[in-house]
C-alpha cells in the first residue's frame, strides 16, 4: 500500500515538473502577445486614431493579429485583417520590384538614362538614370509641394490627373542628380511610365501578372481612375481642428494624383505575404537584392534609402500615407515582420495619428524589443 502511494506521489511530482517546464516555455510568448496587444491599443488611443489593425510575425513564424477601434466612426463594426485600406507609398515597393525584374531580365539597366526611354519628359540636359529615380535622387520637379497642385487637390479631390500632367509642375530648386536626396513622388510616377513603355503594357496588368496572381494577393489592387473601393473596407477619416468636424473621405479622393507613387489598396493579410516576398528578393537574384538593399544616407538622421525600400533606425521596408486619411507601415524589425494599417484621425487627431507613430510607440515601450538582438 505504501509503495503504491509512493508511486502515485512520484507521478504527481513528475506531472508538476512537466507542467512548470511547459509554462516556462509558453509564458514568454504569451506575455509578449499580451504586451503587444496592450501597447497597440494604448498607442491607437493615445494618437487619436479611429481604428487600426496590426499583424506581427515573429522569428519562429508565429503570426498574430491585433485589432482595435472601429472601421468607421459612428459604427460599432470592429477592425479586421481582411479589411481593405489605401496603402499610400507602400505602392512604391511594388513599382521598384517590377523595375528590378526588368533589370534582371536585361530589358533595362539601372544606369540607363531616362532620356533613352522617354525623351522629352524631362529636360534634355538631364542625365537622370533609372537608379536615380529608385533612389529618390533625380532632382525632378516635386508636384506635391507646388501651390497650383495643392490648391487644385484641395478644391477638386475627385479630379482625374494624368501622369504627364503631374510631371509638368515646375520648381526652381538647385539640385545635383545622383547626389541630392528628396523624397519625391514624381520619381515613381515616372517609373510607372517607364514600366509601361518597356513592356508595352499597363502597370496594372504587369503588377497583376508578375506579383499579385503568383503570390495570391487577391485583395490588392491599384486603381487608376476610380475612388471606389470594393467591400469590405475601412473608412478613411479626416479631422479638421478648425471646425472640429470629422469627414469620411474614403471614396472622395481620386487616386490618380498618386498613381505609381501611392494608389495601392490592400489588406494586412496580403501585405504580410508581400513584405516577406519583397524583402526576400522576389523575382530577382541575390546580387540584385544586395544592390537594392544598399542603403544610402538621406538628409534625416537614422534614415537611409535603397532602391524603393527604406532603412529607418534598422526597421526595413516602407511606410505609406494617402492624404492623411489612411496610413500604413510594412517593416521588418529585429527579425519580426510588422504590418500596421490605420484609418485617419478621430477627434483631436493630427500629424501623429499614423501607423508609424503606433509602431515606434510599441517599439519604445516593449520589453520584447529591448531584449531582442538584431
Amino acid at each position: 500500500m505504501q509503495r503504491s502511494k509512493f508511486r502515485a506521489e512520484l507521478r504527481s511530482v513528475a506531472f508538476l515538473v512537466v507542467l512548470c517546464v511547459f509554462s516556462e516555455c509558453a509564458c514568454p510568448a504569451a506575455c509578449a502577445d499580451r504586451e503587444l496587444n496592450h501597447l497597440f491599443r494604448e498607442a491607437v488611443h493615445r494618437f487619436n486614431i479611429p481604428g487600426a489593425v496590426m499583424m506581427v510575425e515573429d522569428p519562429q513564424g508565429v503570426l498574430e493579429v491585433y485589432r482595435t477601434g472601429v472601421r468607421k466612426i459612428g459604427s460599432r463594426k470592429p477592425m479586421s485583417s481582411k479589411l481593405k485600406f489605401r496603402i499610400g507609398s507602400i505602392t512604391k515597393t511594388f513599382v521598384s520590384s517590377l523595375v528590378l525584374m526588368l533589370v534582371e531580365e536585361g530589358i533595362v539597366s539601372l544606369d540607363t538614362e531616362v532620356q533613352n526611354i522617354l525623351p522629352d519628359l524631362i529636360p534634355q540636359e538631364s542625365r537622370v538614370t533609372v537608379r536615380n529615380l529608385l533612389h529618390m535622387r533625380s532632382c525632378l520637379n516635386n508636384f506635391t509641394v507646388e501651390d497650383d497642385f495643392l490648391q487644385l487637390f484641395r478644391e477638386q479631390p475627385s479630379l482625374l490627373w494624368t501622369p504627364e500632367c503631374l510631371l509638368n509642375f515646375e520648381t526652381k530648386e538647385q539640385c545635383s542628380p545622383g547626389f541630392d536626396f528628396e523624397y519625391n513622388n514624381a520619381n515613381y510616377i515616372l517609373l510607372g511610365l517607364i514600366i509601361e513603355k518597356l513592356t508595352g503594357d499597363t502597370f496594372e496588368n504587369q503588377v497583376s501578372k508578375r506579383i499579385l496572381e503568383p503570390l495570391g494577393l487577391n485583395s490588392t489592387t491599384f486603381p487608376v481612375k476610380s475612388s471606389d473601393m470594393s467591400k469590405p473596407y475601412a473608412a478613411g477619416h479626416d479631422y479638421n481642428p478648425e471646425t472640429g468636424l470629422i469627414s469620411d473621405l474614403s471614396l472622395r479622393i481620386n487616386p490618380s494624383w498618386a498613381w505609381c507613387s501611392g494608389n495601392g489598396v490592400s489588406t494586412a493579410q496580403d501585405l504580410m505575404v508581400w513584405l516577406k516576398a519583397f524583402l526576400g528578393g522576389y523575382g530577382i537574384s541575390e546580387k540584385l537584392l544586395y544592390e537594392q538593399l544598399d542603403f544610402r544616407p538621406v538628409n534625416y538622421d537614422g534614415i537611409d534609402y535603397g532602391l524603393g525600400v527604406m532603412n529607418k533606425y534598422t526597421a526595413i521596408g516602407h511606410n505609406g500615407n494617402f492624404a492623411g486619411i489612411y496610413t500604413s507601415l510594412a517593416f521588418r524589425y529585429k527579425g519580426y515582420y510588422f504590418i500596421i494599417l490605420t484609418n485617419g484621425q478621430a477627434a483631436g487627431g493630427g500629424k501623429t495619428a499614423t501607423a508609424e507613430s503606433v509602431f515606434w510607440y510599441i517599439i519604445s515601450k516593449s520589453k520584447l524589443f529591448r531584449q531582442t538582438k538584431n
Side-chain angles (χ1 to χ4, degrees), residues 105-350:
E105 294 164 13
I107 296 173
V108 69
S109 163
L110 286 172
D111 297 315
T112 298
E113 293 183 8
V114 175
Q115 283 289 340
N116 294 332
I117 308 170
L118 294 170
D120 304 325
L121 266 183
I122 59 177
Q124 290 290 335
E125 67 274 11
S126 174
R127 302 295 298 274
V128 175
T129 67
V130 171
R131 186 192 304 273
N132 296 155
L133 297 177
L134 289 166
H135 257 157
M136 299 277 191
R137 298 174 190 271
S138 66
C139 296
L140 286 178
N141 298 323
N142 189 349
F143 66 89
T144 58
V145 300
E146 285 296 311
D147 291 337
D148 290 345
F149 169 79
L150 292 172
Q151 183 177 348
L152 280 170
F153 183 74
R154 294 189 189 103
E155 293 175 353
Q156 302 179 56
S158 61
L159 189 65
L160 177 63
W161 298 85
T162 65
E164 291 79 8
C165 184
L166 292 170
L167 294 171
N168 197 36
F169 289 95
E170 295 184 0
T171 58
K172 297 180 180 179
E173 297 180 13
Q174 297 298 313
C175 185
S176 300
F179 296 95
D180 295 341
F181 176 91
E182 179 190 25
Y183 191 86
N184 180 352
N185 285 336
N187 290 287
Y188 282 74
I189 299 294
L190 188 48
L191 284 169
L193 291 174
I194 287 173
I195 290 169
E196 295 195 336
K197 177 68 173 181
L198 294 176
T199 62
D201 195 6
T202 65
F203 166 75
E204 295 72 40
N205 283 341
Q206 283 294 303
V207 75
S208 180
K209 293 175 184 177
R210 291 172 175 266
I211 296 175
L212 305 185
E213 292 176 10
L215 292 178
L217 306 183
N218 300 320
S219 296
T220 301
T221 57
F222 297 88
V224 180
K225 301 178 181 179
S226 175
S227 58
D228 290 337
M229 285 194 290
S230 61
K231 296 180 179 180
Y233 64 86
H237 303 88
D238 176 74
Y239 169 71
N240 187 332
E242 295 181 1
T243 63
L245 299 177
I246 299 172
S247 302
D248 176 1
L249 301 183
S250 315
L251 309 180
R252 291 177 55 189
I253 301 175
N254 192 297
S256 60
W257 73 272
W259 195 43
C260 286
S261 71
N263 71 331
V265 173
S266 192
T267 65
Q269 290 180 334
D270 274 13
L271 286 180
M272 179 58 78
V273 174
W274 171 239
L275 176 63
K276 294 170 65 180
F278 175 66
L279 295 183
Y282 177 78
I284 60 175
S285 65
E286 288 187 15
K287 180 181 179 182
L288 196 52
L289 176 62
Y290 179 84
E291 196 157 4
Q292 182 180 25
L293 300 180
D294 181 18
F295 296 104
R296 306 293 175 86
V298 305
N299 48 344
Y300 303 102
D301 289 340
I303 305 175
D304 302 326
Y305 206 83
L307 302 179
V309 58
M310 63 175 60
N311 183 339
K312 199 164 189 177
Y313 305 105
T314 73
I316 298 174
H318 221 290
N319 53 18
N321 186 324
F322 186 88
I325 66 172
Y326 293 99
T327 66
S328 55
L329 176 144
F331 278 163
R332 181 178 64 202
Y333 182 74
K334 294 189 174 182
Y336 287 75
Y337 291 91
F338 276 84
I339 302 295
I340 302 177
L341 302 172
T342 73
N343 61 344
Q345 311 101 46

